[in-house]
Amino acid sequence: MTETAAARQSEMILSDQDRRGLYRAILGRRDVRGQFLPDAIADDVLARILVAAHYAPSVGFMQPWSFIIVRSPDQRARIKAAFDRANTEAALMFDGERAEKYRALKLEGILDAPINLCITCDRDRAGPVVLGRTHMPEMDLYSTVCAVENLWLAARAEGLGVGWVSIIQPEALRAILGLPEQVVPVAYLCLGKVSHFLAQPELQNSGWRQRLPLQDLVAFDAWQGAASTEDDALLAALRHAQDKAAMGEI
Amino acid sequence: MTETAAARQSEMILSDQDRRGLYRAILGRRDVRGQFLPDAIADDVLARILVAAHYAPSVGFMQPWSFIIVRSPDQRARIKAAFDRANTEAALMFDGERAEKYRALKLEGILDAPINLCITCDRDRAGPVVLGRTHMPEMDLYSTVCAVENLWLAARAEGLGVGWVSIIQPEALRAILGLPEQVVPVAYLCLGKVSHFLAQPELQNSGWRQRLPLQDLVAFDAWQGAASTEDDALLAALRHAQDKAAMGEI
């Protein structure tokens, strides 16, 4: 083991500053749709965020992900058309005022962002039997989502916005990108510098939906397991941490 | 907007120190199975990592996750028995030397860690039609996985190990935890202080599987889209960032 590795291993808790950095990325991360700038992304920055994705956890150390960097205007125009078709269908699923609100939202930055990135999952990457996937076959897809989240946080730290485009037929993505049968398009992302990051999620700002109180989402020992008096301190700590998070720190 | 929020908004790129903290958490995160200590986790630490999970991205701002904190020895014994059943089945799926290696691996810390945590996805949390889930119904499950990854990174920064137990029948988890029909058990985690973090993933150390070269996982504009000469600088940056990551920095 190198000295660096040994030093790292003994560093059990990250320093206050390092922890603050992680929490800032988590609290400041946004799903960006409307604030992209066309500026190019530096190669070293793009490389770092891809490495962050590659260091995600993966079931059986399978590393099932691939990264398709989409820059061609023709390819992006095809993706945009597929989004438009799906989005028109989606708008019809909402009623009245909600449908009106839906149509007013900008939900993608496919042509605005300088780079699109499709993160895929190759379900055959490590053969048919994968350690840890034997009883939960979706684990490789979940690993790929962990890579998406790592990349998203690293992008935020590097000042890049990411928007996840999920209003699209997976079969359209498959056809446009030429994905083989065993490869699942998990996330289609728009990626680029931004004019600014919103202080709150856009759907919160627009009144679409509010942040839920975390203490309502916590149970003990079972789905309906209520807190006992010995959990009072934890529930108080939850409310305190949540109040601080709403101010951008934790 | 408060002054704090305005200051935050203008902070486009996090400071070098903050970025370093995020990358340290990402590179130092491990799937912990064998290094758990029985020590209690402080309430404020547990609260912070749950808030980190709650600030994950979610489709349509749905926040479909719930957190079941499992501490009862009886419940954990039931979960451990369900793991043992599944693990015995799993071992039979590997052949020869691989099966032997599989049986030698410690794959969970259910009874060793002071806390287990089941993170679930309530598919009905925001009604039947969810913005962004209309064409990819799995998006709420993926949102929940983002919460798992946020929590995992925050735990690493706080000096806590996390191990994801996926070798278990989801139906067993459902029965033991009393989950209603619409609630999916996405991740069953073991959580606690650790004696040390391994310098490399355990499956890499044991020779089960090696880390893949990232440049082999990157394509351009389509699945088989090769790099052009203008991509040389990016590929060089990828190799450089990957070499640094292997040393624990980026």
Side-chain angles (χ1 to χ4, degrees):
Chain A
M1 191 185 299
T2 64
E3 270 182 37
T4 319
R8 212 160 65 234
Q9 203 177 38
S10 70
E11 189 193 56
M12 300 297 297
I13 303 179
L14 300 192
S15 70
D16 286 353
Q17 284 185 334
D18 283 347
R19 276 191 291 158
R20 189 192 61 183
L22 168 65
Y23 285 126
R24 281 193 173 166
I26 286 174
L27 299 178
R29 185 207 48 75
R30 293 289 170 267
D31 194 327
V32 174
R33 298 96 174 257
Q35 295 84 35
F36 284 113
L37 302 175
D39 312 31
I41 299 172
D43 289 325
D44 61 327
V45 174
L46 185 53
R48 283 198 293 272
I49 68 173
L50 287 169
V51 170
H54 191 41
Y55 272 73
S58 67
V59 66
F61 205 35
M62 186 181 169
Q63 306 158 75
W65 40 71
S66 298
F67 306 92
I68 306 177
I69 296 171
V70 181
R71 287 177 300 205
S72 134
D74 284 356
Q75 283 292 69
R76 289 200 280 152
R78 290 185 190 102
I79 298 283
K80 177 65 162 62
F83 166 84
D84 286 340
R85 281 195 300 278
N87 200 41
T88 303
E89 291 169 3
L92 296 173
M93 300 180 196
F94 295 93
D95 293 322
E97 199 190 331
R98 203 80 174 153
E100 211 169 299
K101 211 167 208 173
Y102 183 92
R103 287 194 179 84
L105 291 166
K106 176 164 170 63
L107 294 174
E108 53 72 40
I110 297 165
L111 303 177
D112 309 328
I115 286 186
N116 292 184
L117 180 67
C118 187
I119 304 187
T120 60
C121 176
D122 181 349
R123 313 208 68 180
D124 283 353
R125 178 136 313 152
V129 182
V130 174
L131 182 156
R133 197 183 63 174
T134 51
H135 292 74
M136 291 186 67
E138 63 278 28
M139 280 302 293
D140 51 1
L141 299 168
Y142 290 179
S143 300
T144 306
V145 174
C146 288
V148 173
E149 180 63 0
N150 270 15
L151 179 131
W152 206 335
L153 293 172
R156 175 61 189 88
E158 300 281 3
L160 298 177
V162 169
W164 186 326
V165 180
S166 62
I167 305 167
I168 194 163
Q169 287 287 2
E171 289 311 311
L173 275 179
R174 248 176 212 298
I176 295 166
L177 300 174
L179 303 184
E181 189 61 30
Q182 83 280 8
V183 174
V184 176
V186 169
Y188 192 87
L189 307 174
C190 303
L191 184 64
K193 292 184 185 174
V194 293
S195 59
H196 59 287
F197 287 101
L198 298 175
Q200 302 295 338
E202 203 157 356
L203 294 182
Q204 185 172 355
N205 286 341
S206 67
W208 184 266
R209 195 167 157 82
Q210 294 308 305
R211 198 177 291 281
L212 303 174
L214 177 54
Q215 58 274 20
D216 296 352
L217 309 179
V218 175
F220 295 86
D221 288 323
W223 178 254
Q224 295 202 310
S228 67
T229 50
E230 71 179 276
D231 302 315
D232 285 352
L234 173 60
L235 293 175
L238 269 183
R239 281 186 295 267
H240 178 68
Q242 204 173 196
D243 288 347
K244 286 189 73 174
M247 301 297 296
E249 296 288 342
I250 197 169
Chain B
M1 191 184 301
T2 64
E3 270 183 36
T4 319
R8 214 159 66 233
Q9 203 175 40
S10 69
E11 188 193 56
M12 300 296 297
I13 304 180
L14 300 193
S15 70
D16 286 352
Q17 285 185 334
D18 283 348
R19 277 191 290 157
R20 188 191 61 181
L22 169 66
Y23 285 126
R24 284 191 171 166
I26 286 175
L27 299 178
R29 184 207 49 74
R30 293 291 169 265
D31 194 327
V32 174
R33 299 96 174 257
Q35 295 83 36
F36 285 112
L37 302 175
D39 313 30
I41 300 173
D43 289 326
D44 61 327
V45 173
L46 185 53
R48 283 199 294 272
I49 69 173
L50 287 168
V51 170
H54 191 42
Y55 271 74
S58 68
V59 67
F61 205 34
M62 186 181 170
Q63 307 158 76
W65 41 69
S66 297
F67 307 92
I68 306 176
I69 297 172
V70 181
R71 287 177 299 203
S72 134
D74 285 355
Q75 282 293 68
R76 290 200 281 152
R78 289 183 192 102
I79 298 283
K80 177 64 163 63
F83 166 84
D84 286 340
R85 280 196 301 278
N87 200 40
T88 302
E89 290 169 4
L92 297 172
M93 300 180 196
F94 295 93
D95 293 324
E97 199 190 331
R98 203 81 174 154
E100 212 169 298
K101 210 168 209 171
Y102 183 91
R103 287 194 180 86
L105 291 166
K106 176 165 169 64
L107 294 173
E108 53 71 41
I110 297 165
L111 303 178
D112 310 327
I115 285 186
N116 293 183
L117 181 67
C118 187
I119 304 188
T120 60
C121 175
D122 181 347
R123 313 208 67 178
D124 284 352
R125 179 141 306 157
V129 181
V130 175
L131 183 155
R133 197 182 63 172
T134 52
H135 292 74
M136 291 185 67
E138 63 278 28
M139 280 302 293
D140 50 1
L141 298 169
Y142 290 178
S143 301
T144 307
V145 174
C146 289
V148 174
E149 181 62 1
N150 271 14
L151 178 130
W152 207 335
L153 294 172
R156 175 60 189 87
E158 301 280 2
L160 298 178
V162 170
W164 186 327
V165 181
S166 61
I167 306 168
I168 195 161
Q169 286 288 3
E171 288 312 311
L173 275 179
R174 249 178 210 297
I176 295 166
L177 299 175
L179 303 183
E181 189 62 31
Q182 83 281 6
V183 174
V184 176
V186 169
Y188 191 87
L189 307 174
C190 303
L191 183 65
K193 292 184 186 174
V194 294
S195 59
H196 59 287
F197 287 101
L198 298 175
Q200 303 295 337
E202 203 156 356
L203 294 181
Q204 185 173 354
N205 286 342
S206 67
W208 184 267
R209 197 168 156 80
Q210 294 309 304
R211 198 178 291 282
L212 303 174
L214 177 54
Q215 59 273 19
D216 296 353
L217 309 179
V218 175
F220 295 87
D221 288 323
W223 177 253
Q224 296 202 310
S228 67
T229 51
E230 71 179 276
D231 301 315
D232 285 352
L234 173 59
L235 294 175
L238 269 184
R239 280 187 295 267
H240 177 68
Q242 205 174 193
D243 288 347
K244 287 188 73 175
M247 302 296 297
E249 295 290 342
I250 198 169

